[in-house]
Amino acid sequence: MPNQHSSGRKISRRRLVLVSGMLAATIAATACSTPAAATTAHAQMHTPVPPAALATVPAARPAVAPVADGLHVEIGNFNFTPAELVVPVGSTVTWTNTDDAPHTVTSTDKTLNSPSLNTDGQFSFTFTSPGTYAYFCAIHPFMTGKVVVQ
Ligand code: CU1
């Protein structure tokens, strides 16, 4: 009796091992094929836009578009662009800071005297007299620009 009982136990234990082994193999096969198929489908869905390009989109700051109308100056990469702007008398020029660092639009005689402009900060000035208006950034004096009013 004890022998039968113990051998019956061994059989059922062996069956369990076999069954669990087959299950493991099935799970392994499923785990192997499913992500591969999903990856392929994913890659096909995004073929026109590489995943690397998608990843950079949220990092990009929504642009305060510098308008190329001759009346805007972008302050970016520690430069005024364009560094020299020629405008007719009565023009209003707007500077936009696209840098992460703060900048100012300052002339020596303080005709131009913006506050510190943070990222996306803007400053506008209307030029009512002809002349050359040289300016710089009071925080980074190596940054210079000029507006020629005709
Ligand atoms: Cu600056």
Side-chain angles (χ1 to χ4, degrees):
M1 268 310 241
N3 279 350
Q4 269 185 345
H5 183 73
S6 90
S7 79
R9 232 187 190 170
K10 273 182 191 161
I11 287 166
S12 67
R13 199 178 275 171
R14 191 178 294 160
R15 268 190 193 150
L16 267 178
V17 170
L18 275 174
V19 168
S20 62
M22 284 166 63
L23 271 176
T26 307
I27 289 165
T30 307
C32 249
S33 64
T34 303
T39 302
T40 303
H42 188 249
Q44 282 167 350
M45 273 166 42
H46 293 290
T47 297
V49 183
L54 281 175
T56 63
V57 169
R61 190 171 51 231
V64 177
V67 185
D69 60 1
L71 297 174
H72 286 77
V73 177
E74 179 184 1
I75 313 171
N77 294 317
F78 293 82
N79 284 297
F80 294 104
T81 305
E84 182 175 336
L85 194 62
V86 180
V87 298
V89 174
S91 298
T92 298
V93 175
T94 299
W95 286 259
T96 301
N97 182 12
T98 61
D99 265 344
D100 289 331
H103 297 295
T104 73
V105 177
T106 309
S107 57
T108 307
D109 65 3
K110 302 291 185 192
T111 299
L112 296 170
N113 189 18
S114 82
S116 179
L117 304 172
N118 289 321
T119 304
D120 296 340
Q122 292 189 315
F123 171 72
S124 294
F125 185 84
T126 301
F127 294 90
T128 55
S129 303
T132 296
Y133 298 77
Y135 63 90
F136 57 96
C137 169
I139 303 166
H140 314 99
F142 60 88
M143 295 171 58
T144 60
K146 74 169 79 159
V147 177
V148 177
V149 182
Q150 298 174 331

